[in-house]
Amino acid sequence: MTMTNILFHAFILLTAGAGFVLAISRNIVYAAFLLFVVLLGVAGLYIFAGAEFLAVSQVIVYVGGTLIVVIFGVMLTAKMREMKPQTDFVNLVPGAMLAAAIFMALLFVIRESGVLSSPGNSAAIASDNVHRVGVATLTDYLLPFELVSILLLTVLIGAAYLSRKTKIEKEEQAT
């Protein structure tokens, strides 16, 4: 067994194990940190799949952005200190059966595709992959790219406007 196969299986075990513990976790803070581990594990699996651009996007968008917002939202909410938020087990048996079925299907697809048996030249594939995404973004998909950036800027300005309430507006809402 090569080092690549060992690392691949380590990422699988890390991601699946953290996902399982995340699914049964009752503490929301622990769940947020487990989600961090799962998202990093998925980014590692993207690298093994030859999708380096997607792996970097996963880390930047989900780990760097969304998850940090969730963690700060949980930690900075004053009401959370008194509430002790926890989740309950809902439909544990059907969920476990569905997860096992999906896991078996994924194992079958991986085994039949032969991805692990042909290593290939991953550095050349990665360079070509990122180059193609960059060229497509700045040529064929430039207008959608710019429209999304304008939309995100508008959302940011709207969020800043909505979160900036004066003391009078807060008092009016309280009554």
Side-chain angles (χ1 to χ4, degrees), residues 33-46:
F33 284 112
L34 285 167
L35 183 60
F36 174 76
V37 173
V38 169
L39 291 174
L40 282 179
V42 168
L45 292 174
Y46 283 147

Side-chain angles (χ1 to χ4, degrees), residues 7 16 20 22 28 50 54 61 67 80 86 93 99-100 107 110 121 128 171:
L7 282 174
F20 177 74
L22 171 66
I28 196 162
L54 194 56
V61 173
L67 187 61
M80 291 294 210
Q86 295 184 346
V93 173
L107 281 179
I110 289 171
N121 188 358
D128 186 45
E171 290 174 0

Side-chain angles (χ1 to χ4, degrees), residues 133-154:
V133 169
V135 168
T137 301
L138 296 176
T139 56
D140 298 335
Y141 299 104
L142 183 62
L143 181 63
F145 180 74
E146 292 297 330
L147 290 176
V148 166
S149 67
I150 291 170
L151 176 69
L152 290 174
L153 178 64
T154 307

Side-chain angles (χ1 to χ4, degrees), residues 82-158:
E82 297 94 32
M83 284 179 33
K84 301 233 188 232
Q86 295 184 346
T87 59
D88 292 328
F89 293 110
V90 179
N91 297 327
L92 182 63
V93 173
M97 289 173 40
L98 179 64
I102 292 172
F103 181 71
M104 296 305 273
L106 288 173
L107 281 179
F108 176 76
V109 168
I110 289 171
R111 190 184 73 205
E112 293 298 318
S113 67
V115 171
L116 296 178
S117 62
S118 59
N121 188 358
S122 60
I125 293 171
S127 175
D128 186 45
N129 184 13
V130 174
H131 179 71
R132 284 191 320 213
V133 169
V135 168
T137 301
L138 296 176
T139 56
D140 298 335
Y141 299 104
L142 183 62
L143 181 63
F145 180 74
E146 292 297 330
L147 290 176
V148 166
S149 67
I150 291 170
L151 176 69
L152 290 174
L153 178 64
T154 307
V155 168
L156 180 66
I157 292 170

Side-chain angles (χ1 to χ4, degrees), residues 28-29 32-33 68-78 80-81:
I28 196 162
V29 177
F33 284 112
I68 299 302
V69 169
V70 169
I71 290 172
F72 278 115
V74 168
M75 291 182 164
L76 296 177
T77 303
M80 291 294 210
R81 296 178 192 262

